[in-house]
Structure formats: structure tokens, C-alpha cells
Amino acid sequence: MKYYIIAGEASGDLHASNLMKALLNEDVHADFRFWGGDLMQAVGGTLVKHYKERAFMGFIEVIMNLSAIFKDIALCKKDIQGFQPDVIIFIDNSGFNLRIAKWAKQAGFKTNYYISPQVWASRASRIQAIKRDIDAMYVILPFVEPFYNKHGYKVTFVGHPLIDAIANRTQVSVYKFRENNVLSDKPIIALLPGSRKQEIKNMLSVMLSLVDDFPKYQFVIAGAPSQDYSFYEPFIKTNNVKFISNKTYDLLSVSYAALVTSGTATLETALFKIPQVVCYKGSAISYQIAKRIVTLKFISLVNLIMDKEVVTELIQNDFNKKRLKKELEIILDEKERSKIFINYYELEKALGGKGASEKTAKLIYKSIKA
């Protein structure tokens, strides 16, 4: 079968690559053509466009790049038409994917969505378009299935693919990891400032402002695969800061605490059982727009899934050196850490266990064989 897959950022690349591996178990001759990244390329198939080339964050940034986005949409439609896939699989990335889905459904292509757009957070009106344009939706968060059911659309909860991604990774030796990356014996505070340049600019300076206040710890920046060290280098002004690129899971596995930009990384950090402070700061205009359309109590996946504050969230003006220092001190305290660990174990149970990619692949393959 021919599979056309569209993912738009690092986390989508990860989940799509695992889905592709699972699809190959069902269909050994699977032919993949995709928009994604290095992990998808490593599985095999044809990369049309890398997510690095189209990573726009925030309302204003999207508006400023509308011309490039419309060119990509036109390119994608033309490429799908030429490939004639048996199924198009959309991975998150709703702004782009829902536009393609509307056209694809009208053009007669089978449309499957893995990892739902965040319609429960904002613009629930998009559900009508999803019901019209998407043949099957596979969701990875437990509260999303009843949300869609309430709106008259049947979806399938398959579990969260991060559980598999973390469980299947090769364990690293703490000693060797420290030695290979020239780290000291001090406990590690991991800094995860995001993957897009704009995110990193907004987050990293404030995170690094704490370094001199915690001399008993070493701070390690988790470099995103989409960015070179040269981009991070101007932010690093002290010897107690190290940089490790494209090894976020290995870094989290040996860390003591973490400062994490809101997104998939908050859930990854929780699944590694690392106490964290969740941080987010966007452009002032984008934040004001988001504040008016987002209807959630929380921004981190950890708190959303648990429906309570398990990890502290510092958003926009609350994300400053004074508050961040105070919250980091709290999660370094043993008593507080014990409470966080208990909540993390409950979180993992709620996510439904292993096998998300395999379940989804079986359902997709079955649907196109029918």
C-alpha cells in the first residue's frame, strides 16, 4: 500500500516514525512518502519537505509567513495527486493538515488522523470540519475520546506512543554518559527550551539566569535536533552550563530536575519521573490572542491528563527569574519530590500502557484493506 504521511515538528517526526515501523510489520511492502524529519527518513521512503523548513510558532508568526504556508499547501496537494496514496495519515499539525484534509476528502482520498488537533483546548468549531473530512481519528490522550463522543464523533483511544518510545530506548550508563559528555558528578538540572528558534530565544536566557544561584548542580541544555550549537552558543556564559544535542531522552534519564518549555516535552519529562517546572512565554500579541481563545485550566499535558496541578506552570509574565528560582527550589526538596513521583505513576497508568503505534497501524492497515 501507499502511505502519505504529514508531520510538522520534532514530536510528530518521532510518532510518525514509530507508526511507520509498525505499519511495516503489517505491510512489508509499504511505500511511504512524507512531510517530516530525520527519524521518518531513517525508517525509509521519500521525504518531500523537512519540518525545519516550515516551523512557524504563534499567530503573528504564522500571519507573517502566510505566503510560504500557502505555497506549501499547494505543493502538498500537487504531490499527493501525483503519488495517489491508498491513505493519507495526518499527524497533529492542525493548521496545515486540516486544510489538506478538506481538499483530500473532496478529491476522494482516504483520510486518517493520528494525534488529534487540540480542539478540546480552543476552536471546538473545528470538530465539524473533522467530522466531515476525516474518515478515522486515533487519539493518544484519555480525555479526548469522551470529548469527541460528546460532540457526536466516534474516535479511538490507542494509548500514548511516548510510553513505547521511552520503554524501547536503549538504556544509558550514567557513568559513561557523564564521561562522554564531559559532565561532572554534580546532580543535573536539564533545560528543555523547546525546538523552534523563537521558543529558545524566549525561554533559554531566563532558564540560564539561575545557574549562579545553584552552584551544587550542573545545568545541561537539551539541544533540539533542528538547531545547531552555533544558535545556542551566545546564551552560554558560564562553565557550569553544558550543551548536549539530540540526546534528550538520555539526558532526562540521568537528570535530577528539569525546566521544560510547555509541549510534548512536559509529558516526556514526567514519564522519566523527573520533577519539573513547566515554562512558557510567547510574543505579547500571540499570548493575548491565545488567552482569549484557549479554554483550558492548564497548558501542560501532565496537568491536563491528571486534571489537577501536578507540576507548576509559569506562563508569560510569571516566567521570570524570581518565580523560576523559587519553583526550582521547591522541586529540589525531597518531600515535594515524593508527591510528584506518586502523581507521575498515576499519570502513566492513565495513559493506557504500551502499543499505541502497533494498535494504530493495525487499524489503518485493516481500514485500507477492507
Side-chain angles (χ1 to χ4, degrees):
M1 298 291 180
K2 294 163 79 174
Y3 304 83
Y4 200 98
I5 306 174
I6 310 174
E9 56 185 14
S11 61
D13 182 34
L14 170 66
H15 300 321
S17 69
N18 286 328
L19 179 63
M20 289 163 70
K21 290 173 191 171
L23 282 166
L24 284 169
N25 289 334
E26 303 298 318
D27 180 3
V28 292
H29 301 297
D31 183 5
F32 298 119
R33 191 170 178 88
F34 52 87
W35 294 53
D38 299 342
L39 296 175
M40 295 170 77
Q41 269 193 295
V43 178
T46 303
L47 174 68
V48 180
K49 195 156 192 177
H50 202 290
Y51 68 79
K52 292 180 191 177
E53 298 177 55
R54 56 190 197 93
F56 308 119
M57 185 189 81
F59 300 99
I60 300 304
E61 296 72 23
V62 167
I63 289 168
M64 289 171 63
N65 289 281
L66 276 177
S67 174
I69 291 167
F70 285 134
K71 281 181 184 174
D72 281 345
I73 289 171
L75 169 63
C76 188
K77 290 176 181 177
K78 184 179 179 183
D79 197 61
I80 290 170
Q81 198 70 264
F83 186 58
Q84 288 292 306
D86 293 289
V87 64
I88 303 170
I89 304 169
F90 302 100
I91 313 276
D92 199 359
N93 193 33
S94 64
F96 188 86
N97 277 339
L98 288 179
R99 284 174 174 80
I100 299 297
K102 180 180 180 181
W103 166 84
K105 183 67 175 175
Q106 291 172 350
F109 292 104
K110 186 177 283 289
T111 55
N112 281 200
Y113 218 120
Y114 178 46
I115 307 177
S116 167
Q118 295 180 4
V119 288
W120 63 89
S122 66
R123 294 175 289 157
S125 59
R126 291 178 293 171
I127 293 173
Q128 297 311 312
I130 289 169
K131 288 166 76 171
R132 181 191 67 216
D133 300 330
I134 303 300
D135 296 318
M137 171 74 74
Y138 310 105
V139 303
I140 63 172
L141 297 170
F143 60 82
V144 178
E145 187 173 29
F147 176 87
Y148 271 116
N149 289 344
K150 190 175 71 177
H151 288 85
Y153 183 56
K154 182 169 173 48
V155 303
T156 305
F157 172 57
V158 293
H160 205 293
L162 280 181
I163 292 178
D164 293 323
I166 290 169
N168 295 338
R169 58 178 285 276
T170 303
Q171 299 290 326
V172 296
S173 154
V174 177
Y175 173 78
K176 283 187 178 175
F177 184 81
R178 288 178 183 271
E179 183 180 45
N180 292 342
N181 293 285
V182 198
L183 302 178
S184 72
D185 292 332
K186 293 178 182 178
I188 295 168
I189 296 174
L191 306 182
L192 281 64
S195 59
R196 301 179 179 97
K197 285 185 176 178
Q198 189 185 337
E199 273 181 327
I200 296 164
K201 284 178 183 175
N202 288 340
M203 311 305 299
L204 193 52
S205 292
V206 181
M207 290 178 174
L208 289 173
S209 70
L210 303 187
V211 173
D212 291 340
D213 295 308
F214 295 87
K216 293 181 181 177
Y217 298 86
Q218 61 188 319
F219 289 72
V220 183
I221 300 168
S226 54
Q227 307 299 340
D228 295 327
Y229 173 67
S230 58
F231 179 73
Y232 296 88
E233 193 173 13
F235 296 94
I236 302 171
K237 297 180 168 68
T238 172
N239 290 333
N240 200 29
V241 177
K242 298 292 183 183
F243 175 86
I244 298 176
S245 182
N246 202 18
K247 293 180 184 174
T248 301
Y249 282 9
D250 290 348
L251 174 60
L252 285 173
S253 74
V254 300
S255 292
Y256 191 74
L259 307 179
V260 186
T261 297
S262 180
T264 305
T266 63
L267 187 55
E268 291 170 319
T269 304
L271 290 173
F272 275 101
K273 311 298 185 293
I274 306 301
Q276 64 183 297
V277 181
V278 175
C279 314
Y280 181 78
K281 187 169 188 176
S283 71
I285 297 173
S286 291
Y287 174 69
Q288 288 302 324
I289 295 170
K291 200 164 73 163
R292 285 159 175 75
I293 65 170
V294 174
T295 56
L296 299 174
K297 292 189 286 187
F298 306 110
I299 64 166
S300 73
L301 285 171
V302 177
N303 291 344
L304 283 168
I305 294 164
M306 295 297 286
D307 197 26
K308 65 179 182 179
E309 188 179 71
V310 172
V311 294
T312 298
E313 300 177 351
L314 299 181
I315 306 169
Q316 209 63 9
N317 293 333
D318 287 334
F319 177 59
N320 57 64
K321 179 180 177 179
K322 184 178 178 182
R323 277 298 308 277
L324 190 59
K325 180 183 176 186
K326 177 186 171 188
E327 297 301 334
L328 179 54
E329 286 170 342
I330 290 171
I331 64 168
L332 294 176
D333 176 76
E334 284 303 325
K335 192 187 240 183
E336 184 62 28
R337 292 169 68 82
S338 298
K339 286 191 269 180
I340 293 171
F341 292 143
I342 290 167
N343 281 314
Y344 279 173
Y345 285 112
E346 291 301 316
L347 167 75
E348 190 163 353
K349 270 198 266 181
L351 287 173
K354 296 180 183 179
S357 302
E358 286 73 16
K359 288 174 199 168
T360 307
K362 286 179 190 299
L363 289 166
I364 291 172
Y365 186 59
K366 184 179 176 183
S367 75
I368 58 178
K369 286 254 320 184

